[in-house]
Amino acid sequence: MTSPADPPVTSTAARSRLTRPGRFLADWWSDTVRAPRFAWQLFRRVLNLQFRHSSLGILLAFLPATITALVFAYARRTHLFSDDSGGVNSAFYGGFGVLLAQAFVEAFNAGRRLFVANQGIFRRNVTAIEGPLLATLYEVLFHDAIRIIVMAGLMAAFRVVPSSALPLAIWGLLGVSLAGLGIGFLLATPNALQPDLNALASGLPIVLFTVTPVFLIPPPGSLLGRLHAVNPLAWLFDGIRAAAYGGPGSLTVAAVGPLVAASCLLAGWCLCRVALPHIVERLPG
């Protein structure tokens, strides 16, 4: 028997929260509506921690994407890439593809580290997943905005004429990030419980660059060509290129792909919400 001075005790039932789907969805909506203000504060705190010790300040956020663009611009001047790919210079094709791949990989890494990066918050409030999750989404969108600026500079440097469907390319880029974030959320639970997954995830860029048209267009009958033909991310990359500058690809994929990616994001969000009470007590100290 406890006295009035004893602290409250919170217990987590073993029964899944999905056994009452109506209540689950209502709570999910209610928590999401209340979360944006806290998520914004958390997002600003993350930015301050990242850039307050740098003499460049917020400009440091432009560095990875800008270095990528400069490397490929230099490659053009040295004729390292001399052939055309998809109707544009190969160096531009590769630089544009690497920026797209960066969007996916950065979002994936942010999503899979949701529990690990915010375990201090989760230990204090086992039900508060929407704030950190939305803050992660804000961070991904912030880096996407920077990436769009760098892509525009890359197109200007290579004198690539934008397509009239350019807004669809921005929408497609959002889809790439949402897909990475959603897959990251789906893997956030095993990533929190199995640190070995960090080592496996570090190999993702190599796999991504292999099965997705990042640097070049493979011959249709080759092994890479067959892999690209069945890789949805490759379809989305090509669709974004078609929307951005008229490259080979489907505008329909660029339009529909982000909707599919958003579904993946919601699935990962749902899994994280269900798993959170069972994950927190198992997180390493």
Side-chain angles (χ1 to χ4, degrees), residues 23-38:
R23 176 65 180 273
F24 175 80
L25 292 175
D27 289 346
W28 187 356
W29 174 255
S30 176
D31 291 343
T32 302
V33 169
R34 292 197 304 263
R37 182 176 179 181
F38 172 64

Side-chain angles (χ1 to χ4, degrees), residues 56 58-75 95-96 98-99 102 106 143 145-154 157-158:
L56 295 176
I58 198 69
L59 293 178
L60 185 64
F62 286 80
L63 202 58
T66 302
I67 289 177
T68 298
L70 290 176
V71 165
F72 283 92
Y74 177 76
F96 196 90
V98 170
L99 290 172
Q102 282 180 349
E106 287 181 7
H143 287 288
I146 291 174
R147 201 166 282 111
I148 290 170
I149 295 173
V150 175
M151 283 179 168
L154 187 67
F158 281 86

Side-chain angles (χ1 to χ4, degrees), residues 34-54:
R34 292 197 304 263
R37 182 176 179 181
F38 172 64
W40 180 254
Q41 294 173 347
L42 185 59
F43 165 66
R44 292 182 60 183
R45 189 182 74 177
V46 170
L47 289 187
N48 288 334
L49 289 174
Q50 288 180 352
F51 305 126
R52 68 180 179 182
H53 297 300
S54 170

Side-chain angles (χ1 to χ4, degrees), residues 71-81 89 91-92 157-159:
V71 165
F72 283 92
Y74 177 76
R76 179 196 184 191
R77 293 178 62 88
T78 58
H79 303 288
L80 182 61
F81 294 87
N89 183 274
F92 173 81
F158 281 86
R159 298 179 181 177

Side-chain angles (χ1 to χ4, degrees), residues 167-197:
L168 194 59
I170 298 175
W171 170 246
L173 173 63
L174 175 63
V176 171
S177 295
L178 292 182
L181 194 58
I183 296 173
F185 286 156
L186 289 171
L187 294 178
T189 298
N191 185 78
L193 299 179
Q194 297 292 335
D196 291 343
L197 187 62

Side-chain angles (χ1 to χ4, degrees), residues 91-270:
F92 173 81
Y93 185 93
F96 196 90
V98 170
L99 290 172
L100 291 176
Q102 282 180 349
F104 181 89
V105 172
E106 287 181 7
F108 170 79
N109 286 330
R112 71 181 178 84
R113 297 190 70 254
L114 176 67
F115 291 126
V116 175
N118 298 283
Q119 58 181 297
I121 295 173
F122 294 144
R123 289 185 191 279
R124 293 193 297 270
N125 188 346
V126 75
T127 63
I129 196 169
E130 273 65 35
L133 190 146
L134 289 177
T136 303
L137 176 60
Y138 294 165
E139 186 177 0
V140 168
L141 296 178
F142 169 73
H143 287 288
D144 274 351
I146 291 174
R147 201 166 282 111
I148 290 170
I149 295 173
V150 175
M151 283 179 168
L154 187 67
M155 294 179 72
F158 281 86
R159 298 179 181 177
V160 174
V161 179
S163 165
S164 59
L166 185 61
L168 194 59
I170 298 175
W171 170 246
L173 173 63
L174 175 63
V176 171
S177 295
L178 292 182
L181 194 58
I183 296 173
F185 286 156
L186 289 171
L187 294 178
T189 298
N191 185 78
L193 299 179
Q194 297 292 335
D196 291 343
L197 187 62
N198 283 314
L200 294 176
S202 65
L204 175 68
I206 298 176
V207 176
L208 178 68
F209 289 178
T210 301
V211 302
T212 306
V214 174
F215 293 109
L216 49 84
I217 302 176
S222 65
L223 175 60
L224 284 181
R226 292 194 293 271
L227 288 174
H228 289 186
V230 298
N231 178 8
L233 195 59
W235 308 340
L236 185 53
F237 274 37
D238 286 341
I240 293 170
R241 287 186 168 107
Y245 55 83
S250 170
L251 295 180
T252 301
V253 173
V256 176
L259 300 178
V260 177
S263 300
C264 179
L265 175 69
L266 288 175
W269 188 341
C270 178

